[in-house]
Amino acid sequence: MPFSRLGLSPYVLPALQQALLQAGYSAPTPIQQQAIPLILRGQDLVALAPTGSGKTAAYVLPALQRFFVAPPRKPRVLAQLVLVPTRELALQVADVFATLGRELTRQPRVVCAVGGVSINPQMMALRGGADVVVATPGRLLDLLAHNALSLRQVQLLVLDEADRLLELGFGDELRQVLAQLPVRRQTLLFSATFPPGIEALAAAGLREPQRLEVMAQAQPEITQRAIAVDAARRGELLQRLLQEPEWSQVLVFVSSIRQGDRLSGELRKAGINAQALHGDLSQGRRVRMLQGFKDGEVRVLVATDVAARGIDIAGLPVVVNYELPRSPADYLHRIGRTGRAGEKGLAVSFIDAASQAHWRLITRRHGLKLEPEVMAGFEPVDTAPVAAPVADDNGGIKGRRPSKKDRLRAAAVGKPTP
């Protein structure tokens, strides 16, 4: 099915088609085929779609049409709001607006509002108004407190990666934002998973929404491996694997900022161009680092889950779970960074003695039959603890004191922490 059959207006279709071709979109993805006609009809939507499915364009294309066919207003009035969980995803969404709208004779002013940087430039950007704001919830509330913008005339609200918005503890902020929005609006909710909190959010903020579910398409193109290795030798094993020709560029997931800094430092000492991406870095440095990775200047990017959300690297060959994700659901998100847009990919997970039980849970949750292999020269000698901690469905490790992240997840789904 071509884009021309999705119901887009002939006033914008030629310009959008030209921009789509320039961006490499030859045909709509399944989520775009199903969602775009519904959005164009003005219906609220709850869409379950995996990472890499093309969901951003699924709402950006109708949003661009909505802007273009509306009469221009001066000063500009904020009519469209996109809420996302991380700075990187906000930048990515704003870039999609710019990319797909580049051929329109009248283009929207899109302001990206995120934390971690000075609020003053964002307040300056909002002077004279904006047509679209892409924001993280906390920074949006900061701007509202400074009277830098108003939500009273928002016609379209998009909650992108809504599961992450709840998981990262944005539930209270979302409720505050919803309270300031007009009741008569169109709301679109996109999520990769469907925890209980999503149902409550949909009930509170959407009117008779249409529901879509698109199954992952890229996963069959990802070769998954698990390697048993002692925790102390994971860095050595990673350096050994980086000698393989196909490991030209690698995204490595770790569980903490400290681990990311330590591992990237070890790799640089070994002569490997590696950088750590995490929330303690300035926004400018994170943007430069991501661009360097996209351009191939950085060979290994060591990232935490929060920092890596929104990374979309075309042709990324390898993803490594240096440490397993706390939540079993995050496993699919991580490996989905490779094998995108029809490309083949490789996902490798390191399994040490302490993570064996958690790995069994992950494989059981996702129906995987993936026993850890042993590489010659890296045979593990450590044994699993007698009472191995086991993770629950929502992340968090049973038998350990709950972390702040565990408490946020539990609060988002209305469960007590263990």
Side-chain angles (χ1 to χ4, degrees), residues 1 27 30 95 111 114 158 162 166 216 232 237 268 313-314 317 326 333 378:
M1 177 185 296
D95 183 65
V111 174
V114 297
V158 181
L166 293 179
L237 174 59
R268 287 195 297 272
I313 309 296
R326 296 182 63 84
H333 160 67
F378 292 91

Side-chain angles (χ1 to χ4, degrees), residues 36-214:
I36 289 175
L38 294 173
I39 297 172
L40 291 173
R41 289 201 292 268
Q43 294 182 270
D44 284 8
L45 180 67
V46 174
L48 189 65
T51 300
S53 61
K55 59 181 173 57
T56 305
Y59 64 78
V60 167
L61 290 170
L64 288 170
Q65 174 170 307
R66 178 191 286 264
F67 157 78
F68 190 81
V69 300
R73 299 177 63 175
K74 289 188 178 181
R76 297 172 187 259
V77 172
L78 177 60
Q80 303 183 33
L81 173 64
V82 182
L83 291 180
V84 297
T86 67
R87 291 177 278 184
E88 281 67 34
L89 184 55
L91 293 168
Q92 178 184 317
V93 170
D95 183 65
V96 174
F97 268 100
T99 299
L100 298 186
R102 66 177 60 171
E103 299 298 329
L104 294 173
T105 55
R106 183 167 62 92
Q107 299 180 357
R109 176 184 289 177
V110 180
V111 174
C112 187
V114 297
V117 294
S118 172
I119 196 173
N120 293 327
Q122 296 170 13
M123 293 178 64
M124 291 291 293
L126 288 166
R127 287 188 176 181
D131 302 297
V132 181
V133 167
V134 183
T136 52
R139 177 49 55 94
L140 178 66
L141 291 175
D142 291 339
L143 291 167
L144 289 169
H146 283 82
N147 295 316
L149 77 169
S150 169
L151 305 183
R152 290 193 297 269
Q153 299 189 61
V154 169
Q155 301 171 4
L156 175 67
L157 170 66
V158 181
L159 303 177
D160 196 349
E161 299 196 352
D163 52 345
R164 286 285 169 159
L165 284 167
L166 293 179
E167 180 182 305
L168 297 177
F170 290 122
D172 289 339
E173 288 88 345
L174 286 176
R175 284 186 283 273
Q176 293 178 54
V177 171
L178 290 174
Q180 299 193 48
L181 289 165
V183 175
R184 294 183 63 82
R185 67 175 189 273
Q186 183 180 14
T187 304
L188 312 176
L189 188 155
F190 289 85
S191 183
T193 60
F194 207 82
I198 294 294
E199 190 70 51
L201 182 61
L206 283 76
R207 296 176 292 107
E208 300 180 352
Q210 294 289 316
R211 296 176 181 268
L212 297 178
E213 182 172 354
V214 176

Side-chain angles (χ1 to χ4, degrees), residues 379-393:
E379 295 84 357
V381 296
D382 293 341
T383 58
V386 175
V390 179
D392 63 25
D393 288 334

